[in-house]
Amino acid sequence: MILRRSRKQVMASLAVLVTVAGVAVWSLRDARVEESVGLLVWGVVCAIWAMFIALAQIRRSPLGEIDEQGITLNYIFSRMRIGWNDITWFSAPPEKRAAIIAVRKPGDAKEHYAVVSRSVFGDAQVAAIRDAIAAKRPGLPDQPNDAQVFS
């Protein structure tokens, strides 16, 4: 199963991209006309911000994939492959903004964490990941063994 953004998420992200890019262009144009350092700095910051929004749309499409071997999550600068047997615990409380997948690969001394943001993935995709993990790893704990709670 391929994890994709909903049409609503794509349109909202594109609206933010157009707005931020427009502010960047306006600020850079006004900085040149008025010779304002403050507008120049603001324009550059907005241009970099717009670049990251565009990069996230291109690089994270699709967001990930669920298959028989595990889950692949695409981040902006990396891709994380999680095998079903590598998952040590999984937490996705509905009141929290993100789900956490704790991963310990063979030979690793400590756990690594994959964060699945509800604002990026959406509730339906987080539920699909939760259901896939529950199907492949029934009885998996929803918090670390030492009862450390993340808030």
Side-chain angles (χ1 to χ4, degrees), residues 42-66:
W42 177 245
V44 169
V45 167
C46 287
I48 292 170
W49 184 12
M51 181 192 67
F52 274 104
I53 294 170
L55 188 62
Q57 284 294 319
I58 295 167
R59 182 77 176 104
R60 294 189 78 181
S61 180
L63 295 170
E65 183 177 1
I66 300 172

Side-chain angles (χ1 to χ4, degrees), residues 24-84:
V25 169
W26 174 81
S27 297
L28 292 171
R29 183 191 63 79
D30 271 7
R32 186 172 160 218
V33 171
E34 297 176 16
E35 296 179 5
S36 170
V37 176
L39 280 174
L40 177 65
V41 170
W42 177 245
V44 169
V45 167
C46 287
I48 292 170
W49 184 12
M51 181 192 67
F52 274 104
I53 294 170
L55 188 62
Q57 284 294 319
I58 295 167
R59 182 77 176 104
R60 294 189 78 181
S61 180
L63 295 170
E65 183 177 1
I66 300 172
D67 58 26
E68 291 300 317
Q69 287 77 35
I71 302 171
T72 303
L73 299 174
N74 296 328
Y75 294 104
I76 293 176
F77 296 112
S78 66
R79 178 173 286 146
M80 185 174 199
R81 179 75 183 148
I82 303 169
W84 297 119

Side-chain angles (χ1 to χ4, degrees), residues 5 11 15 17 20 31 43 48 50 56 65-66 68 73 76 80 85 87 89-90 93 95 107 135 145 150:
R5 288 182 181 88
M11 295 313 248
L17 173 63
V20 172
I48 292 170
E65 183 177 1
I66 300 172
E68 291 300 317
L73 299 174
I76 293 176
M80 185 174 199
N85 293 329
I87 300 173
W89 59 271
F90 174 74
E95 70 276 1
N145 291 336
F150 293 94

